[in-house]
PDB file of all heavy atoms in Angstrom:
ATOM      1  N   ASN A 183      97.867  88.979 116.600  1.00 98.00           N
ATOM      2  CA  ASN A 183      98.245  90.311 116.105  1.00 98.00           C
ATOM      3  C   ASN A 183      97.349  91.406 116.674  1.00 98.00           C
ATOM      4  O   ASN A 183      97.362  92.532 116.190  1.00 98.00           O
ATOM      5  CB  ASN A 183      98.131  90.349 114.578  1.00 98.00           C
ATOM      6  CG  ASN A 183      99.048  89.357 113.916  1.00 98.00           C
ATOM      7  OD1 ASN A 183     100.180  89.165 114.350  1.00 98.00           O
ATOM      8  ND2 ASN A 183      98.571  88.709 112.864  1.00 98.00           N
ATOM      9  N   PRO A 245      89.124  93.618 101.206  1.00 97.00           N
ATOM     10  CA  PRO A 245      88.705  92.775 102.349  1.00 97.00           C
ATOM     11  C   PRO A 245      89.838  92.298 103.247  1.00 97.00           C
ATOM     12  O   PRO A 245      89.591  91.888 104.375  1.00 97.00           O
ATOM     13  CB  PRO A 245      88.012  91.579 101.690  1.00 97.00           C
ATOM     14  CG  PRO A 245      88.308  91.662 100.250  1.00 97.00           C
ATOM     15  CD  PRO A 245      88.812  93.019  99.922  1.00 97.00           C
ATOM     16  N   SER A 246      91.090  92.333 102.777  1.00 98.00           N
ATOM     17  CA  SER A 246      92.206  91.912 103.640  1.00 98.00           C
ATOM     18  C   SER A 246      93.510  92.465 103.089  1.00 98.00           C
ATOM     19  O   SER A 246      93.580  92.914 101.929  1.00 98.00           O
ATOM     20  CB  SER A 246      92.298  90.381 103.711  1.00 98.00           C
ATOM     21  OG  SER A 246      92.864  89.882 102.513  1.00 98.00           O
ATOM     22  N   GLY A 247      94.545  92.398 103.920  1.00 98.00           N
ATOM     23  CA  GLY A 247      95.867  92.842 103.477  1.00 98.00           C
ATOM     24  C   GLY A 247      96.406  91.943 102.386  1.00 98.00           C
ATOM     25  O   GLY A 247      97.073  92.408 101.457  1.00 98.00           O
ATOM     26  N   PHE A 248      96.099  90.665 102.483  1.00 98.00           N
ATOM     27  CA  PHE A 248      96.563  89.734 101.442  1.00 98.00           C
ATOM     28  C   PHE A 248      95.999  90.150 100.086  1.00 98.00           C
ATOM     29  O   PHE A 248      96.730  90.286  99.103  1.00 98.00           O
ATOM     30  CB  PHE A 248      96.148  88.287 101.800  1.00 98.00           C
ATOM     31  CG  PHE A 248      96.875  87.266 100.993  1.00 98.00           C
ATOM     32  CD1 PHE A 248      97.972  86.601 101.518  1.00 98.00           C
ATOM     33  CD2 PHE A 248      96.504  86.993  99.687  1.00 98.00           C
ATOM     34  CE1 PHE A 248      98.681  85.671 100.754  1.00 98.00           C
ATOM     35  CE2 PHE A 248      97.197  86.074  98.913  1.00 98.00           C
ATOM     36  CZ  PHE A 248      98.289  85.408  99.451  1.00 98.00           C
ATOM     37  N   VAL A 249      94.690  90.378 100.063  1.00 98.00           N
ATOM     38  CA  VAL A 249      94.044  90.759  98.799  1.00 98.00           C
ATOM     39  C   VAL A 249      94.590  92.112  98.316  1.00 98.00           C
ATOM     40  O   VAL A 249      94.827  92.309  97.119  1.00 98.00           O
ATOM     41  CB  VAL A 249      92.501  90.813  98.962  1.00 98.00           C
ATOM     42  CG1 VAL A 249      91.831  91.330  97.702  1.00 98.00           C
ATOM     43  CG2 VAL A 249      91.962  89.442  99.315  1.00 98.00           C
ATOM     44  N   ASN A 251      97.574  93.416  98.741  1.00 98.00           N
ATOM     45  CA  ASN A 251      98.892  93.264  98.118  1.00 98.00           C
ATOM     46  C   ASN A 251      98.805  92.559  96.770  1.00 98.00           C
ATOM     47  O   ASN A 251      99.498  92.930  95.822  1.00 98.00           O
ATOM     48  CB  ASN A 251      99.835  92.504  99.054  1.00 98.00           C
ATOM     49  CG  ASN A 251     100.486  93.433 100.068  1.00 98.00           C
ATOM     50  OD1 ASN A 251     100.626  94.631  99.821  1.00 98.00           O
ATOM     51  ND2 ASN A 251     100.885  92.898 101.209  1.00 98.00           N
ATOM     52  N   HIS A 272     106.379  89.951 102.642  1.00 97.00           N
ATOM     53  CA  HIS A 272     105.265  89.020 102.906  1.00 97.00           C
ATOM     54  C   HIS A 272     104.859  88.238 101.651  1.00 97.00           C
ATOM     55  O   HIS A 272     104.957  88.726 100.530  1.00 97.00           O
ATOM     56  CB  HIS A 272     104.058  89.817 103.418  1.00 97.00           C
ATOM     57  CG  HIS A 272     102.999  88.972 104.004  1.00 97.00           C
ATOM     58  ND1 HIS A 272     101.836  88.654 103.329  1.00 97.00           N
ATOM     59  CD2 HIS A 272     102.910  88.348 105.200  1.00 97.00           C
ATOM     60  CE1 HIS A 272     101.073  87.891 104.093  1.00 97.00           C
ATOM     61  NE2 HIS A 272     101.711  87.687 105.244  1.00 97.00           N
ATOM     62  N   SER A 274     102.070  87.629 100.387  1.00 98.00           N
ATOM     63  CA  SER A 274     101.036  88.230  99.541  1.00 98.00           C
ATOM     64  C   SER A 274     101.652  89.099  98.442  1.00 98.00           C
ATOM     65  O   SER A 274     101.109  89.187  97.334  1.00 98.00           O
ATOM     66  CB  SER A 274     100.083  89.071 100.391  1.00 98.00           C
ATOM     67  OG  SER A 274     100.797  89.932 101.254  1.00 98.00           O
ATOM     68  N   VAL A 275     102.781  89.731  98.727  1.00 98.00           N
ATOM     69  CA  VAL A 275     103.457  90.553  97.710  1.00 98.00           C
ATOM     70  C   VAL A 275     104.026  89.620  96.643  1.00 98.00           C
ATOM     71  O   VAL A 275     103.864  89.844  95.428  1.00 98.00           O
ATOM     72  CB  VAL A 275     104.586  91.393  98.356  1.00 98.00           C
ATOM     73  CG1 VAL A 275     105.433  92.081  97.302  1.00 98.00           C
ATOM     74  CG2 VAL A 275     103.995  92.401  99.339  1.00 98.00           C
ATOM     75  N   GLU A 313     108.309  96.128 103.959  1.00 98.00           N
ATOM     76  CA  GLU A 313     107.354  96.241 105.074  1.00 98.00           C
ATOM     77  C   GLU A 313     107.939  97.264 106.038  1.00 98.00           C
ATOM     78  O   GLU A 313     109.166  97.267 106.252  1.00 98.00           O
ATOM     79  CB  GLU A 313     107.217  94.898 105.808  1.00 98.00           C
ATOM     80  CG  GLU A 313     106.544  93.828 104.991  1.00 98.00           C
ATOM     81  CD  GLU A 313     106.537  92.467 105.688  1.00 98.00           C
ATOM     82  OE1 GLU A 313     106.469  92.408 106.925  1.00 98.00           O
ATOM     83  OE2 GLU A 313     106.606  91.464 104.975  1.00 98.00           O
ATOM     84  N   LEU A 315     107.376  97.310 109.267  1.00 98.00           N
ATOM     85  CA  LEU A 315     107.757  96.484 110.424  1.00 98.00           C
ATOM     86  C   LEU A 315     107.613  95.031 109.985  1.00 98.00           C
ATOM     87  O   LEU A 315     106.515  94.610 109.612  1.00 98.00           O
ATOM     88  CB  LEU A 315     106.827  96.788 111.610  1.00 98.00           C
ATOM     89  CG  LEU A 315     106.888  95.862 112.813  1.00 98.00           C
ATOM     90  CD1 LEU A 315     108.299  95.758 113.383  1.00 98.00           C
ATOM     91  CD2 LEU A 315     105.941  96.335 113.920  1.00 98.00           C
ATOM     92  N   TYR A 316     108.730  94.310 109.998  1.00 98.00           N
ATOM     93  CA  TYR A 316     108.722  92.950 109.433  1.00 98.00           C
ATOM     94  C   TYR A 316     108.081  91.951 110.379  1.00 98.00           C
ATOM     95  O   TYR A 316     108.436  91.868 111.558  1.00 98.00           O
ATOM     96  CB  TYR A 316     110.144  92.533 109.034  1.00 98.00           C
ATOM     97  CG  TYR A 316     110.529  93.201 107.739  1.00 98.00           C
ATOM     98  CD1 TYR A 316     111.123  94.456 107.749  1.00 98.00           C
ATOM     99  CD2 TYR A 316     110.219  92.623 106.522  1.00 98.00           C
ATOM    100  CE1 TYR A 316     111.416  95.112 106.562  1.00 98.00           C
ATOM    101  CE2 TYR A 316     110.504  93.267 105.326  1.00 98.00           C
ATOM    102  CZ  TYR A 316     111.103  94.510 105.359  1.00 98.00           C
ATOM    103  OH  TYR A 316     111.380  95.154 104.184  1.00 98.00           O
ATOM    104  N   SER A 317     107.165  91.152 109.811  1.00 95.00           N
ATOM    105  CA  SER A 317     106.295  90.324 110.643  1.00 95.00           C
ATOM    106  C   SER A 317     106.999  89.111 111.233  1.00 95.00           C
ATOM    107  O   SER A 317     106.556  88.586 112.256  1.00 95.00           O
ATOM    108  CB  SER A 317     105.083  89.872 109.843  1.00 95.00           C
ATOM    109  OG  SER A 317     105.492  89.089 108.751  1.00 95.00           O
ATOM    110  N   ASP A 342     104.350  98.210 102.941  1.00 98.00           N
ATOM    111  CA  ASP A 342     103.302  97.431 103.609  1.00 98.00           C
ATOM    112  C   ASP A 342     103.390  97.731 105.106  1.00 98.00           C
ATOM    113  O   ASP A 342     104.378  97.421 105.751  1.00 98.00           O
ATOM    114  CB  ASP A 342     103.555  95.947 103.306  1.00 98.00           C
ATOM    115  CG  ASP A 342     102.566  95.013 103.995  1.00 98.00           C
ATOM    116  OD1 ASP A 342     101.956  95.417 105.000  1.00 98.00           O
ATOM    117  OD2 ASP A 342     102.432  93.870 103.530  1.00 98.00           O
ATOM    118  N   GLU A 343     102.326  98.326 105.628  1.00 98.00           N
ATOM    119  CA  GLU A 343     102.332  98.768 107.036  1.00 98.00           C
ATOM    120  C   GLU A 343     101.475  97.849 107.914  1.00 98.00           C
ATOM    121  O   GLU A 343     100.967  98.288 108.958  1.00 98.00           O
ATOM    122  CB  GLU A 343     101.750 100.184 107.116  1.00 98.00           C
ATOM    123  CG  GLU A 343     102.601 101.238 106.433  1.00 98.00           C
ATOM    124  CD  GLU A 343     103.254 102.154 107.442  1.00 98.00           C
ATOM    125  OE1 GLU A 343     103.927 101.666 108.369  1.00 98.00           O
ATOM    126  OE2 GLU A 343     103.063 103.369 107.289  1.00 98.00           O
ATOM    127  N   ALA A 344     101.307  96.583 107.485  1.00 98.00           N
ATOM    128  CA  ALA A 344     100.383  95.676 108.188  1.00 98.00           C
ATOM    129  C   ALA A 344     100.590  95.692 109.705  1.00 98.00           C
ATOM    130  O   ALA A 344      99.628  95.791 110.460  1.00 98.00           O
ATOM    131  CB  ALA A 344     100.532  94.254 107.648  1.00 98.00           C
ATOM    132  N   HIS A 345     101.842  95.587 110.147  1.00 98.00           N
ATOM    133  CA  HIS A 345     102.073  95.453 111.589  1.00 98.00           C
ATOM    134  C   HIS A 345     102.347  96.783 112.291  1.00 98.00           C
ATOM    135  O   HIS A 345     102.423  96.823 113.514  1.00 98.00           O
ATOM    136  CB  HIS A 345     103.215  94.461 111.842  1.00 98.00           C
ATOM    137  CG  HIS A 345     102.825  93.078 111.437  1.00 98.00           C
ATOM    138  ND1 HIS A 345     102.179  92.210 112.282  1.00 98.00           N
ATOM    139  CD2 HIS A 345     102.929  92.448 110.240  1.00 98.00           C
ATOM    140  CE1 HIS A 345     101.928  91.082 111.640  1.00 98.00           C
ATOM    141  NE2 HIS A 345     102.364  91.199 110.400  1.00 98.00           N
ATOM    142  N   VAL A 368     100.198 100.189 101.985  1.00 98.00           N
ATOM    143  CA  VAL A 368      99.087  99.289 102.327  1.00 98.00           C
ATOM    144  C   VAL A 368      98.967  99.281 103.842  1.00 98.00           C
ATOM    145  O   VAL A 368      99.925  98.978 104.549  1.00 98.00           O
ATOM    146  CB  VAL A 368      99.343  97.859 101.801  1.00 98.00           C
ATOM    147  CG1 VAL A 368      98.285  96.888 102.324  1.00 98.00           C
ATOM    148  CG2 VAL A 368      99.348  97.850 100.274  1.00 98.00           C
ATOM    149  N   THR A 370      96.622  97.689 107.034  1.00 98.00           N
ATOM    150  CA  THR A 370      95.650  96.608 107.234  1.00 98.00           C
ATOM    151  C   THR A 370      94.919  96.820 108.557  1.00 98.00           C
ATOM    152  O   THR A 370      95.453  97.408 109.497  1.00 98.00           O
ATOM    153  CB  THR A 370      96.311  95.212 107.210  1.00 98.00           C
ATOM    154  OG1 THR A 370      97.072  95.039 108.401  1.00 98.00           O
ATOM    155  CG2 THR A 370      97.199  95.020 106.008  1.00 98.00           C
ATOM    156  N   TYR A 371      93.710  96.304 108.609  1.00 98.00           N
ATOM    157  CA  TYR A 371      92.850  96.540 109.769  1.00 98.00           C
ATOM    158  C   TYR A 371      92.616  95.272 110.602  1.00 98.00           C
ATOM    159  O   TYR A 371      91.776  95.250 111.487  1.00 98.00           O
ATOM    160  CB  TYR A 371      91.520  97.130 109.285  1.00 98.00           C
ATOM    161  CG  TYR A 371      91.710  98.405 108.489  1.00 98.00           C
ATOM    162  CD1 TYR A 371      91.250  98.528 107.177  1.00 98.00           C
ATOM    163  CD2 TYR A 371      92.404  99.479 109.041  1.00 98.00           C
ATOM    164  CE1 TYR A 371      91.459  99.697 106.438  1.00 98.00           C
ATOM    165  CE2 TYR A 371      92.621 100.646 108.308  1.00 98.00           C
ATOM    166  CZ  TYR A 371      92.140 100.745 107.018  1.00 98.00           C
ATOM    167  OH  TYR A 371      92.364 101.889 106.299  1.00 98.00           O
ATOM    168  N   GLY A 372      93.363  94.223 110.308  1.00 98.00           N
ATOM    169  CA  GLY A 372      93.184  92.956 111.026  1.00 98.00           C
ATOM    170  C   GLY A 372      94.149  92.804 112.193  1.00 98.00           C
ATOM    171  O   GLY A 372      94.088  91.811 112.916  1.00 98.00           O
ATOM    172  N   LYS A 373      95.050  93.755 112.365  1.00 98.00           N
ATOM    173  CA  LYS A 373      96.072  93.601 113.410  1.00 98.00           C
ATOM    174  C   LYS A 373      95.869  94.694 114.464  1.00 98.00           C
ATOM    175  O   LYS A 373      95.104  94.506 115.399  1.00 98.00           O
ATOM    176  CB  LYS A 373      97.448  93.588 112.760  1.00 98.00           C
ATOM    177  CG  LYS A 373      97.508  92.462 111.695  1.00 98.00           C
ATOM    178  CD  LYS A 373      98.761  92.415 110.920  1.00 98.00           C
ATOM    179  CE  LYS A 373      98.656  91.665 109.606  1.00 98.00           C
ATOM    180  NZ  LYS A 373      98.293  90.270 109.676  1.00 98.00           N
ATOM    181  N   HIS A 378      89.274  93.245 110.272  1.00 97.00           N
ATOM    182  CA  HIS A 378      89.889  92.722 109.056  1.00 97.00           C
ATOM    183  C   HIS A 378      89.735  93.781 107.978  1.00 97.00           C
ATOM    184  O   HIS A 378      88.963  94.731 108.129  1.00 97.00           O
ATOM    185  CB  HIS A 378      89.249  91.399 108.615  1.00 97.00           C
ATOM    186  CG  HIS A 378      87.892  91.573 107.992  1.00 97.00           C
ATOM    187  ND1 HIS A 378      87.687  91.588 106.643  1.00 97.00           N
ATOM    188  CD2 HIS A 378      86.685  91.788 108.553  1.00 97.00           C
ATOM    189  CE1 HIS A 378      86.411  91.781 106.399  1.00 97.00           C
ATOM    190  NE2 HIS A 378      85.770  91.913 107.543  1.00 97.00           N
ATOM    191  N   GLY A 379      90.473  93.617 106.896  1.00 98.00           N
ATOM    192  CA  GLY A 379      90.388  94.589 105.819  1.00 98.00           C
ATOM    193  C   GLY A 379      91.695  95.323 105.644  1.00 98.00           C
ATOM    194  O   GLY A 379      92.642  95.144 106.425  1.00 98.00           O
ATOM    195  N   ALA A 380      91.745  96.118 104.597  1.00 98.00           N
ATOM    196  CA  ALA A 380      92.965  96.862 104.285  1.00 98.00           C
ATOM    197  C   ALA A 380      92.613  98.020 103.375  1.00 98.00           C
ATOM    198  O   ALA A 380      91.533  98.042 102.775  1.00 98.00           O
ATOM    199  CB  ALA A 380      93.971  95.945 103.576  1.00 98.00           C
ATOM    200  N   ARG A 493     108.118  83.251 117.920  1.00 97.00           N
ATOM    201  CA  ARG A 493     107.585  84.601 117.706  1.00 97.00           C
ATOM    202  C   ARG A 493     106.676  84.943 118.878  1.00 97.00           C
ATOM    203  O   ARG A 493     105.713  84.224 119.152  1.00 97.00           O
ATOM    204  CB  ARG A 493     106.807  84.622 116.396  1.00 97.00           C
ATOM    205  CG  ARG A 493     106.231  85.958 115.999  1.00 97.00           C
ATOM    206  CD  ARG A 493     105.553  85.736 114.646  1.00 97.00           C
ATOM    207  NE  ARG A 493     105.149  86.976 114.020  1.00 97.00           N
ATOM    208  CZ  ARG A 493     103.915  87.450 114.065  1.00 97.00           C
ATOM    209  NH1 ARG A 493     102.977  86.822 114.749  1.00 97.00           N
ATOM    210  NH2 ARG A 493     103.605  88.558 113.432  1.00 97.00           N
TER     211      ARG A 493
HETATM  212  C1  LIG B1052     103.384  92.131 106.249  1.00 80.10           C
HETATM  213  C2  LIG B1052     102.031  91.592 106.003  1.00 80.10           C
HETATM  214  N1  LIG B1052     101.357  92.033 104.930  1.00 80.10           N
HETATM  215  C3  LIG B1052     100.117  91.597 104.663  1.00 80.10           C
HETATM  216  C4  LIG B1052      99.507  90.670 105.472  1.00 80.10           C
HETATM  217  C5  LIG B1052      98.133  90.187 105.136  1.00 80.10           C
HETATM  218  O1  LIG B1052      97.220  90.946 105.859  1.00 80.10           O
HETATM  219  P1  LIG B1052      95.791  90.331 106.231  1.00 80.10           P
HETATM  220  O2  LIG B1052      96.003  89.434 107.393  1.00 80.10           O
HETATM  221  O3  LIG B1052      94.946  91.504 106.496  1.00 80.10           O
HETATM  222  O4  LIG B1052      95.344  89.558 105.023  1.00 80.10           O
HETATM  223  C6  LIG B1052     100.158  90.192 106.596  1.00 80.10           C
HETATM  224  C7  LIG B1052      99.495  89.201 107.468  1.00 80.10           C
HETATM  225  O5  LIG B1052     100.028  88.498 108.240  1.00 80.10           O
HETATM  226  C8  LIG B1052     101.467  90.658 106.873  1.00 80.10           C
HETATM  227  O6  LIG B1052     102.146  90.208 107.922  1.00 80.10           O
END
Side-chain angles (χ1 to χ4, degrees):
N183 299 321
S246 76
F248 195 99
V249 175
N251 276 335
H272 193 258
S274 48
V275 171
E313 292 175 32
L315 169 56
Y316 283 88
S317 62
D342 177 338
E343 294 251 53
H345 293 273
V368 172
T370 72
Y371 303 122
K373 304 175 200 299
H378 75 99
R493 182 178 190 261

